[in-house]
Amino acid sequence: MHITFDQVKSAVASWAADIKRSDKKYDYIIGVSRGGLVPATMLSYATGIPMRTIEIKTRDKAGNQVRPTTNYSDDVSDIMYQTENNILFVEDIIDSGLTLSVIDSIMKYRNTEYDYATVVYNSVLKSKSPTFYYTMIDRDYYKDWIIFPWDDWK
């Protein structure tokens, strides 16, 4: 499955409209590196909500799942600790749920409110569902790799 740049733009435009209509206000968008950075940046521009980044590695260069590692700056840590902040984490795909579980474990002891937005969401997951998503897949049936515009630069 190929996700086009126009589809990403459509997803972000829809999320931005939903956010603007909502009673819930986000203080920060945190893009999950690498795939979440493009839609997070677009959403930040569309809404005026400041954006920061977090790096969560769950795969090696060959695409194999590895023990997750995280990297984020002190200002992102401060943002995640401030109880008055509402944060929207943005990812390109929520597939295995591993990235969500890493974020959940980071946020577990913080009283900060947070949600997720993603372009593609695996409906089979039993974890927290994203607040915003563009399309849903069922990994029990659809096994192919999802290709995003930023993945296809060879």
mmCIF file of all heavy atoms in Angstrom, residues 99-126:
data_model
loop_
_atom_site.group_PDB
_atom_site.id
_atom_site.type_symbol
_atom_site.label_atom_id
_atom_site.label_comp_id
_atom_site.label_asym_id
_atom_site.label_seq_id
_atom_site.Cartn_x
_atom_site.Cartn_y
_atom_site.Cartn_z
ATOM 1 N N THR A 99 5.446 1.516 19.610
ATOM 2 C CA THR A 99 5.735 2.937 19.848
ATOM 3 C C THR A 99 4.742 3.515 20.854
ATOM 4 O O THR A 99 5.133 4.272 21.749
ATOM 5 C CB THR A 99 5.699 3.727 18.528
ATOM 6 O OG1 THR A 99 6.680 3.179 17.638
ATOM 7 C CG2 THR A 99 5.998 5.193 18.759
ATOM 8 N N LEU A 100 3.467 3.151 20.733
ATOM 9 C CA LEU A 100 2.472 3.620 21.696
ATOM 10 C C LEU A 100 2.805 3.161 23.103
ATOM 11 O O LEU A 100 2.679 3.932 24.063
ATOM 12 C CB LEU A 100 1.078 3.101 21.338
ATOM 13 C CG LEU A 100 0.385 3.635 20.117
ATOM 14 C CD1 LEU A 100 -1.049 3.122 20.063
ATOM 15 C CD2 LEU A 100 0.394 5.129 20.081
ATOM 16 N N SER A 101 3.234 1.917 23.237
ATOM 17 C CA SER A 101 3.543 1.406 24.576
ATOM 18 C C SER A 101 4.765 2.115 25.158
ATOM 19 O O SER A 101 4.828 2.345 26.364
ATOM 20 C CB SER A 101 3.727 -0.115 24.570
ATOM 21 O OG SER A 101 4.868 -0.490 23.846
ATOM 22 N N VAL A 102 5.721 2.496 24.299
ATOM 23 C CA VAL A 102 6.876 3.263 24.780
ATOM 24 C C VAL A 102 6.418 4.630 25.271
ATOM 25 O O VAL A 102 6.808 5.081 26.360
ATOM 26 C CB VAL A 102 7.955 3.397 23.672
ATOM 27 C CG1 VAL A 102 9.044 4.369 24.087
ATOM 28 C CG2 VAL A 102 8.553 2.035 23.339
ATOM 29 N N ILE A 103 5.582 5.303 24.487
ATOM 30 C CA ILE A 103 5.065 6.614 24.907
ATOM 31 C C ILE A 103 4.250 6.462 26.187
ATOM 32 O O ILE A 103 4.412 7.250 27.131
ATOM 33 C CB ILE A 103 4.234 7.258 23.781
ATOM 34 C CG1 ILE A 103 5.139 7.644 22.612
ATOM 35 C CG2 ILE A 103 3.468 8.482 24.307
ATOM 36 C CD1 ILE A 103 4.401 8.066 21.361
ATOM 37 N N ASP A 104 3.399 5.458 26.248
ATOM 38 C CA ASP A 104 2.604 5.239 27.456
ATOM 39 C C ASP A 104 3.494 5.020 28.677
ATOM 40 O O ASP A 104 3.187 5.519 29.763
ATOM 41 C CB ASP A 104 1.658 4.047 27.280
ATOM 42 C CG ASP A 104 0.487 4.340 26.355
ATOM 43 O OD1 ASP A 104 0.208 5.526 26.087
ATOM 44 O OD2 ASP A 104 -0.149 3.369 25.891
ATOM 45 N N SER A 105 4.595 4.281 28.509
ATOM 46 C CA SER A 105 5.485 4.043 29.647
ATOM 47 C C SER A 105 6.214 5.322 30.060
ATOM 48 O O SER A 105 6.437 5.551 31.247
ATOM 49 C CB SER A 105 6.474 2.913 29.352
ATOM 50 O OG SER A 105 7.406 3.299 28.373
ATOM 51 N N ILE A 106 6.555 6.176 29.089
ATOM 52 C CA ILE A 106 7.178 7.466 29.411
ATOM 53 C C ILE A 106 6.177 8.347 30.163
ATOM 54 O O ILE A 106 6.518 9.025 31.135
ATOM 55 C CB ILE A 106 7.659 8.184 28.126
ATOM 56 C CG1 ILE A 106 8.833 7.439 27.502
ATOM 57 C CG2 ILE A 106 8.038 9.635 28.428
ATOM 58 C CD1 ILE A 106 9.196 7.940 26.103
ATOM 59 N N MET A 107 4.933 8.344 29.725
ATOM 60 C CA MET A 107 3.912 9.243 30.271
ATOM 61 C C MET A 107 3.214 8.689 31.514
ATOM 62 O O MET A 107 2.444 9.397 32.157
ATOM 63 C CB MET A 107 2.871 9.541 29.187
ATOM 64 C CG MET A 107 3.423 10.195 27.932
ATOM 65 S SD MET A 107 4.235 11.768 28.230
ATOM 66 C CE MET A 107 2.823 12.785 28.637
ATOM 67 N N LYS A 108 3.496 7.457 31.868
ATOM 68 C CA LYS A 108 2.761 6.747 32.923
ATOM 69 C C LYS A 108 2.676 7.522 34.239
ATOM 70 O O LYS A 108 1.626 7.578 34.865
ATOM 71 C CB LYS A 108 3.415 5.386 33.155
ATOM 72 C CG LYS A 108 2.703 4.511 34.150
ATOM 73 C CD LYS A 108 3.357 3.157 34.223
ATOM 74 C CE LYS A 108 2.600 2.232 35.144
ATOM 75 N NZ LYS A 108 3.208 0.909 35.181
ATOM 76 N N TYR A 109 3.766 8.100 34.670
ATOM 77 C CA TYR A 109 3.793 8.771 35.973
ATOM 78 C C TYR A 109 3.708 10.282 35.855
ATOM 79 O O TYR A 109 4.008 10.999 36.791
ATOM 80 C CB TYR A 109 5.044 8.352 36.742
ATOM 81 C CG TYR A 109 5.072 6.863 36.983
ATOM 82 C CD1 TYR A 109 5.922 6.039 36.269
ATOM 83 C CD2 TYR A 109 4.189 6.280 37.898
ATOM 84 C CE1 TYR A 109 5.924 4.667 36.475
ATOM 85 C CE2 TYR A 109 4.185 4.914 38.109
ATOM 86 C CZ TYR A 109 5.065 4.116 37.398
ATOM 87 O OH TYR A 109 5.055 2.759 37.592
ATOM 88 N N ARG A 110 3.317 10.748 34.705
ATOM 89 C CA ARG A 110 3.166 12.185 34.494
ATOM 90 C C ARG A 110 1.680 12.479 34.401
ATOM 91 O O ARG A 110 0.926 11.704 33.838
ATOM 92 C CB ARG A 110 3.893 12.598 33.216
ATOM 93 C CG ARG A 110 5.363 12.193 33.281
ATOM 94 C CD ARG A 110 6.066 12.367 31.974
ATOM 95 N NE ARG A 110 7.364 11.710 32.036
ATOM 96 C CZ ARG A 110 8.428 12.132 31.425
ATOM 97 N NH1 ARG A 110 8.384 13.208 30.676
ATOM 98 N NH2 ARG A 110 9.559 11.494 31.535
ATOM 99 N N ASN A 111 1.276 13.577 34.936
ATOM 100 C CA ASN A 111 -0.150 13.912 34.944
ATOM 101 C C ASN A 111 -0.557 14.729 33.730
ATOM 102 O O ASN A 111 -1.552 15.417 33.751
ATOM 103 C CB ASN A 111 -0.502 14.659 36.231
ATOM 104 C CG ASN A 111 -0.406 13.754 37.435
ATOM 105 O OD1 ASN A 111 -0.786 12.592 37.364
ATOM 106 N ND2 ASN A 111 0.122 14.261 38.525
ATOM 107 N N THR A 112 0.215 14.654 32.688
ATOM 108 C CA THR A 112 -0.056 15.393 31.464
ATOM 109 C C THR A 112 -1.049 14.616 30.604
ATOM 110 O O THR A 112 -0.936 13.403 30.457
ATOM 111 C CB THR A 112 1.259 15.603 30.683
ATOM 112 O OG1 THR A 112 2.189 16.252 31.537
ATOM 113 C CG2 THR A 112 1.044 16.425 29.449
ATOM 114 N N GLU A 113 -2.002 15.314 30.030
ATOM 115 C CA GLU A 113 -2.953 14.695 29.109
ATOM 116 C C GLU A 113 -2.297 14.541 27.746
ATOM 117 O O GLU A 113 -1.555 15.433 27.305
ATOM 118 C CB GLU A 113 -4.194 15.575 28.977
ATOM 119 C CG GLU A 113 -4.912 15.804 30.277
ATOM 120 C CD GLU A 113 -6.292 15.232 30.274
ATOM 121 O OE1 GLU A 113 -6.795 14.886 29.197
ATOM 122 O OE2 GLU A 113 -6.858 15.133 31.362
ATOM 123 N N TYR A 114 -2.565 13.430 27.069
ATOM 124 C CA TYR A 114 -1.991 13.227 25.741
ATOM 125 C C TYR A 114 -2.879 12.343 24.891
ATOM 126 O O TYR A 114 -3.640 11.527 25.395
ATOM 127 C CB TYR A 114 -0.576 12.649 25.834
ATOM 128 C CG TYR A 114 -0.495 11.255 26.411
ATOM 129 C CD1 TYR A 114 -0.374 10.146 25.584
ATOM 130 C CD2 TYR A 114 -0.531 11.047 27.789
ATOM 131 C CE1 TYR A 114 -0.289 8.867 26.107
ATOM 132 C CE2 TYR A 114 -0.444 9.777 28.324
ATOM 133 C CZ TYR A 114 -0.323 8.691 27.484
ATOM 134 O OH TYR A 114 -0.248 7.425 28.002
ATOM 135 N N ASP A 115 -2.768 12.574 23.584
ATOM 136 C CA ASP A 115 -3.501 11.808 22.582
ATOM 137 C C ASP A 115 -2.545 11.451 21.454
ATOM 138 O O ASP A 115 -1.402 11.908 21.422
ATOM 139 C CB ASP A 115 -4.671 12.630 22.017
ATOM 140 C CG ASP A 115 -5.751 12.899 23.046
ATOM 141 O OD1 ASP A 115 -6.130 11.973 23.780
ATOM 142 O OD2 ASP A 115 -6.223 14.055 23.113
ATOM 143 N N TYR A 116 -3.073 10.657 20.504
ATOM 144 C CA TYR A 116 -2.298 10.250 19.340
ATOM 145 C C TYR A 116 -3.014 10.627 18.052
ATOM 146 O O TYR A 116 -4.232 10.586 17.981
ATOM 147 C CB TYR A 116 -2.100 8.733 19.305
ATOM 148 C CG TYR A 116 -1.409 8.149 20.501
ATOM 149 C CD1 TYR A 116 -2.107 7.400 21.429
ATOM 150 C CD2 TYR A 116 -0.047 8.342 20.683
ATOM 151 C CE1 TYR A 116 -1.473 6.850 22.523
ATOM 152 C CE2 TYR A 116 0.591 7.792 21.780
ATOM 153 C CZ TYR A 116 -0.116 7.046 22.700
ATOM 154 O OH TYR A 116 0.515 6.517 23.781
ATOM 155 N N ALA A 117 -2.213 10.933 17.042
ATOM 156 C CA ALA A 117 -2.701 11.076 15.671
ATOM 157 C C ALA A 117 -1.779 10.251 14.786
ATOM 158 O O ALA A 117 -0.567 10.211 15.005
ATOM 159 C CB ALA A 117 -2.680 12.537 15.231
ATOM 160 N N THR A 118 -2.353 9.594 13.791
ATOM 161 C CA THR A 118 -1.556 8.776 12.887
ATOM 162 C C THR A 118 -2.222 8.720 11.519
ATOM 163 O O THR A 118 -3.442 8.837 11.412
ATOM 164 C CB THR A 118 -1.367 7.350 13.451
ATOM 165 O OG1 THR A 118 -0.458 6.626 12.615
ATOM 166 C CG2 THR A 118 -2.673 6.591 13.535
ATOM 167 N N VAL A 119 -1.413 8.550 10.509
ATOM 168 C CA VAL A 119 -1.957 8.439 9.160
ATOM 169 C C VAL A 119 -2.600 7.072 8.974
ATOM 170 O O VAL A 119 -3.719 6.957 8.489
ATOM 171 C CB VAL A 119 -0.864 8.696 8.091
ATOM 172 C CG1 VAL A 119 -1.446 8.559 6.687
ATOM 173 C CG2 VAL A 119 -0.241 10.079 8.280
ATOM 174 N N VAL A 120 -1.904 6.005 9.391
ATOM 175 C CA VAL A 120 -2.411 4.634 9.247
ATOM 176 C C VAL A 120 -2.475 3.986 10.628
ATOM 177 O O VAL A 120 -1.518 4.057 11.400
ATOM 178 C CB VAL A 120 -1.511 3.794 8.319
ATOM 179 C CG1 VAL A 120 -2.020 2.362 8.212
ATOM 180 C CG2 VAL A 120 -1.409 4.427 6.941
ATOM 181 N N TYR A 121 -3.592 3.348 10.904
ATOM 182 C CA TYR A 121 -3.825 2.720 12.208
ATOM 183 C C TYR A 121 -4.212 1.258 12.019
ATOM 184 O O TYR A 121 -5.114 0.938 11.248
ATOM 185 C CB TYR A 121 -4.937 3.478 12.935
ATOM 186 C CG TYR A 121 -5.451 2.819 14.189
ATOM 187 C CD1 TYR A 121 -4.588 2.531 15.243
ATOM 188 C CD2 TYR A 121 -6.794 2.486 14.329
ATOM 189 C CE1 TYR A 121 -5.053 1.935 16.398
ATOM 190 C CE2 TYR A 121 -7.267 1.889 15.482
ATOM 191 C CZ TYR A 121 -6.397 1.614 16.512
ATOM 192 O OH TYR A 121 -6.856 1.017 17.658
ATOM 193 N N ASN A 122 -3.530 0.373 12.744
ATOM 194 C CA ASN A 122 -3.829 -1.054 12.729
ATOM 195 C C ASN A 122 -4.993 -1.303 13.689
ATOM 196 O O ASN A 122 -4.834 -1.222 14.907
ATOM 197 C CB ASN A 122 -2.595 -1.857 13.149
ATOM 198 C CG ASN A 122 -2.849 -3.350 13.212
ATOM 199 O OD1 ASN A 122 -3.924 -3.828 12.872
ATOM 200 N ND2 ASN A 122 -1.852 -4.091 13.655
ATOM 201 N N SER A 123 -6.145 -1.637 13.156
ATOM 202 C CA SER A 123 -7.369 -1.785 13.955
ATOM 203 C C SER A 123 -7.341 -2.990 14.894
ATOM 204 O O SER A 123 -8.183 -3.096 15.782
ATOM 205 C CB SER A 123 -8.576 -1.896 13.035
ATOM 206 O OG SER A 123 -8.496 -3.076 12.253
ATOM 207 N N VAL A 124 -6.388 -3.886 14.718
ATOM 208 C CA VAL A 124 -6.324 -5.094 15.532
ATOM 209 C C VAL A 124 -5.771 -4.804 16.926
ATOM 210 O O VAL A 124 -6.002 -5.569 17.859
ATOM 211 C CB VAL A 124 -5.456 -6.170 14.815
ATOM 212 C CG1 VAL A 124 -5.290 -7.412 15.656
ATOM 213 C CG2 VAL A 124 -6.076 -6.520 13.476
ATOM 214 N N LEU A 125 -5.087 -3.695 17.102
ATOM 215 C CA LEU A 125 -4.450 -3.378 18.380
ATOM 216 C C LEU A 125 -5.468 -3.241 19.498
ATOM 217 O O LEU A 125 -6.558 -2.717 19.301
ATOM 218 C CB LEU A 125 -3.656 -2.074 18.270
ATOM 219 C CG LEU A 125 -2.443 -2.105 17.347
ATOM 220 C CD1 LEU A 125 -1.798 -0.735 17.307
ATOM 221 C CD2 LEU A 125 -1.450 -3.148 17.799
ATOM 222 N N LYS A 126 -5.075 -3.674 20.656
ATOM 223 C CA LYS A 126 -5.935 -3.567 21.835
ATOM 224 C C LYS A 126 -5.526 -2.379 22.703
ATOM 225 O O LYS A 126 -6.112 -2.150 23.747
ATOM 226 C CB LYS A 126 -5.849 -4.853 22.676
ATOM 227 C CG LYS A 126 -6.195 -6.111 21.897
ATOM 228 C CD LYS A 126 -7.658 -6.148 21.511
ATOM 229 C CE LYS A 126 -8.011 -7.450 20.868
ATOM 230 N NZ LYS A 126 -8.524 -7.352 19.539
#
